[in-house]
Amino acid sequence: MATLMYHMLSSSSLLSLGFYHLICTTRNRLKSAGDYVAKPYHPLSFISQPHLRRLPLYLLLLCLLISLIHQSLVSLDADPLLKGHTPVHRFTSLQAAAVVFSFLILVVFLLISESTSLLPLPPDLFFALAAALFYLQYSVSDSSASVQTSDLQAKCDSVSARISALSALLCLVIAVQPRLFLADVALAASICLQGLWVLQTGLSLYVDAFIPEGCHKLLDVVTGVEGSTKCDLEDSKLRAIAILDLAFVVHVMFVLLIVTVTYAAVAKTIGIRRFGSYEALPNTDSSHIQMKAMTGTQA
C-alpha cells in the first residue's frame, strides 16, 4: 500500500508540474509571439508577494524531498526478486535516489537564481543541465529494467526510461533553440506522460483489479517491493506486455488531447483568434475610399 501511495503522489506531482508548465508556456506564446523565449520557471503572476509567487518551486522541492526519502528507505529493504538479489536492489535504489537528489540540487539552484543575485543561472544552462539529468534518469531506469525478474516491472521501467530520454532530448533542443515553442510544449507533454505512466505502473503492479489476467503477486515477499508481480506462463506474459503497450498508446492520446484542449482554452481566455483580432480600418484608408466613391459619382 505504501508503494502504491508513493506512485500516486509521484503521478500527481508530475501531472501538476507538466500541466502548469503547459498552461504558462501557451499563455506566454499567445501573449507575446514575437518575443517568446522558453522559461524554466513560471512564477504565479496573480500574486503580488515575491515569496508566494515562487510557490511552485517550493512545492516541487517538497515533492523531490519526499521522493529522496522514499528511495533512500527503499534501498535499506531486502529484495530477493532481482537478478543478483538484495545487493543489486540496493545499488539501483541508491542510483535512483542520487538522480532525485541531483534534480533537487538543480531546483535549489533555480530558486537561488530567482530570489537572489548570488547565482545567476541562465535558462539555456538550466535546460542543458536538465537534459543531462533526464538522460541520467533514463540510464538508471534502463539498467533497473535489465535486472528485474518480473517482466511487468521490466516493461514499465523500460517505457519510463524512453520517456526520460525524450525529455532529455527536448531539454537539449530548448537549450539550443530557446524560441522553439513546439519543443517547450512537447517537454510539458512528456512530463505529463511520465506522470500518467507512473500511475499506470503502480496500478499494474500493486492493485489486483488492474493486474493482467494470468499474472499475480508473489506471496513470499512483502507486498510492494520491486518485482512483486509475475506472470507464470509465456502466453500470459506476452498478453500482459501487449496490454501495457495498449495502455501507453491510450496515455499518449490522452496527453495529446490535454495539449489541444489546453491550447484552445488558453487562447479563448486571452482572446486570440486563428486569424488575429478584427480591428477598424484607419481613418486615412476610410477617407480615401470615400473620396474615390465621391469621384466616381461625380463622373
Side-chain angles (χ1 to χ4, degrees):
M1 181 61 68
T3 304
L4 178 60
M5 293 296 295
Y6 172 74
H7 277 79
M8 294 180 64
L9 176 62
S10 300
S11 174
S12 59
S13 301
L14 289 171
L15 280 172
S16 301
L17 176 62
F19 189 60
Y20 177 74
H21 187 78
L22 176 63
I23 293 176
C24 295
T25 297
T26 305
R27 184 173 179 271
N28 291 342
R29 175 64 172 79
L30 293 177
K31 291 187 67 175
S32 56
D35 300 330
Y36 173 80
V37 176
K39 298 179 180 179
Y41 159 67
H42 301 275
L44 297 176
S45 57
F46 56 88
I47 297 179
S48 58
Q49 292 82 356
H51 295 289
L52 294 180
R53 295 186 62 175
R54 294 188 285 269
L55 182 61
L57 287 180
Y58 298 144
L59 294 177
L60 182 57
L61 285 174
L62 177 61
C63 294
L64 288 173
L65 184 59
I66 294 174
S67 179
L68 177 62
I69 294 174
H70 176 268
Q71 293 293 342
S72 301
L73 293 177
V74 165
S75 64
L76 301 177
D77 296 334
D79 188 358
L81 298 177
L82 290 180
K83 299 175 182 177
H85 305 297
T86 299
V88 175
H89 164 71
R90 288 176 176 170
F91 280 119
T92 55
S93 299
L94 288 176
Q95 288 175 358
V99 173
V100 174
F101 180 73
S102 300
F103 275 107
L104 181 65
I105 294 299
L106 182 61
V107 175
V108 170
F109 285 167
L110 180 60
L111 179 60
I112 296 175
S113 176
E114 291 292 333
S115 57
T116 65
S117 59
L118 298 177
L119 184 64
L121 187 65
D124 54 350
L125 178 58
F126 174 87
F127 282 112
L129 294 175
L133 293 185
F134 275 120
Y135 183 80
L136 183 61
Q137 186 181 25
Y138 154 76
S139 178
V140 171
S141 299
D142 188 62
S143 63
S144 176
S146 64
V147 298
Q148 295 289 341
T149 58
S150 169
D151 298 307
L152 265 68
Q153 180 73 49
K155 177 65 176 180
C156 292
D157 288 345
S158 65
V159 172
S160 178
R162 294 171 187 174
I163 299 175
S164 298
L166 175 62
S167 299
L169 178 61
L170 292 172
C171 285
L172 186 61
V173 171
I174 295 174
V176 178
Q177 295 289 339
R179 296 183 179 274
L180 195 56
F181 170 68
L182 292 180
D184 206 6
V185 169
L187 177 61
S190 69
I191 296 175
C192 291
L193 182 60
Q194 186 72 269
L196 290 175
W197 189 251
V198 168
L199 178 61
Q200 181 67 48
T201 300
L203 295 176
S204 299
L205 296 179
Y206 307 116
V207 179
D208 294 332
F210 290 90
I211 294 177
E213 183 180 354
C215 305
H216 60 87
K217 292 182 181 179
L218 298 179
L219 302 178
D220 56 344
V221 293
V222 179
T223 302
V225 299
E226 298 292 333
S228 60
T229 303
K230 190 173 179 63
C231 304
D232 294 330
L233 301 178
E234 184 69 17
D235 292 342
S236 299
K237 182 190 75 173
L238 296 177
R239 180 177 179 275
I241 292 177
I243 291 175
L244 288 178
D245 288 334
L246 177 61
F248 178 73
V249 173
V250 172
H251 289 319
V252 171
M253 294 175 61
F254 185 65
V255 169
L256 293 177
L257 179 62
I258 289 176
V259 171
T260 304
V261 172
T262 301
Y263 187 91
V266 174
K268 183 177 181 179
T269 302
I270 297 179
I272 302 297
R273 296 180 176 85
R274 184 178 178 182
F275 297 103
S277 58
Y278 296 98
E279 296 180 356
L281 292 174
N283 294 331
T284 55
D285 293 341
S286 59
S287 301
H288 180 66
I289 294 173
Q290 293 176 1
M291 289 296 296
K292 289 181 65 178
M294 291 175 62
T295 305
T297 303
Q298 293 177 357

